[in-house]
Amino acid sequence: MAYITNAAPALAGRASIIISVYNVAPYLAQCLESAANQDYVEVEIIAVDDGSTDSSRAVLGDFAASHRNVTVVSTPNQGPSAARNTGLRLAKGEYVLFLDGDDYIEKNTVSLCVEKMKDHGVDIVFFAARSFCDGMTTPPTGEFNYERLPELTGKPMLAEQFFILSRKYHNYLPSPCLYVYRRDRFAGITFYPGILHEDNLFTTRLLLERRDAKVYCLPDRLFNRRLRPDSIMTQKKQPRHVEGYMEVALELSRLDVAREKSETGKSLNHFIQNMIRSGLAQWWIAYPPMLPLAQRKRLLRVLSRVNPRYIKPVCILICLFPELLLVGHRLKGALRREAYE
């Protein structure tokens, strides 16, 4: 399942900040400055322009001209997964942090995470984030709370334990922009190209394919996520949103742990089913008026691969009859309207 494996050997002490860029010119300078102004000395910045059609490439070029530690790469538009994989292939740092071109990080993000890695002998340091609206008066529909719960912070633990507890407390935040990790420890694990919601797959693989890895979680809000119109998070749902969730579920079902009789296997199985539900929750917007047969078959393929003891009956039901979710959605809407009348 490794999509790019020819990474360069890591240079001890250096941190690689990989920035994926696509049509974010108005916000890009703030992002680049936050990476360049880290109080950690050994930082390389790899900015991958994913075929932008605005002035993002020019902004990157001007910034690289005045910063010796910045590398800019331009590629045809292939999506954030391919851009991050390109950055991983070029990275030379011992530590990796991902950043999107419309967001920014705090000045001590890298130094604090590296300090905790060394103090506690861990391989990943997670942290919290602040979200803010830009260009919209109210937050978009969805969950944009990036706080870390006390049950997860302040103590080192095994990667699989962190996954289980994060899921148990409904605080699993899989964005790759919310942690720093040791590159050599997770060599061979890269992003699945060409899909949305790839974060759910990448981060889960980090935690469950290197189950003996150690993690530490900080409560500090070191990342700033910009909620803006027409971003992947806020745009109207399309077929690729549904397909992304389905592909993530299918890829996760291929992990060995998905068939285990264990607490980790149970937690992963439930997460896979959540991916299915997340995809199906939007299908009537993306595929009016009916979910295609190919997608229904994909759902059943996922369920055939996981441990049947952990499959929830409701998941089987909505896979066979996804129209039930639409009925439930309309019923809730009717009840809500009736309550206001």
Side-chain angles (χ1 to χ4, degrees), residues 127 148 232 260 277 282 288 299:
F127 45 83
R148 301 286 185 178
I232 290 177
E260 280 187 6
R277 291 189 62 129
Q282 305 276 342
L299 292 174

Side-chain angles (χ1 to χ4, degrees), residues 160 163-164 257 260-268 310:
E160 65 174 331
F163 177 77
I164 292 169
V257 67
E260 280 187 6
K261 181 183 176 182
S262 66
E263 193 64 30
T264 308
K266 178 181 179 180
S267 187
L268 176 60
Y310 301 129

Side-chain angles (χ1 to χ4, degrees), residues 213-268:
K214 294 181 180 179
V215 308
Y216 188 91
C217 187
L218 292 163
D220 306 65
R221 296 191 293 181
L222 302 178
F223 177 72
N224 297 279
R225 167 140 287 170
R226 189 186 309 269
L227 305 179
R228 60 183 178 85
D230 299 322
S231 70
I232 290 177
M233 293 185 298
T234 61
Q235 64 187 208
K236 182 180 178 181
K237 303 311 175 187
Q238 304 170 27
R240 64 188 187 132
H241 290 85
V242 178
E243 292 162 5
Y245 278 121
M246 300 307 174
E247 197 61 31
V248 168
L250 184 58
E251 288 296 313
L252 289 175
S253 73
R254 293 190 169 111
L255 298 181
D256 292 340
V257 67
R259 290 171 289 281
E260 280 187 6
K261 181 183 176 182
S262 66
E263 193 64 30
T264 308
K266 178 181 179 180
S267 187
L268 176 60

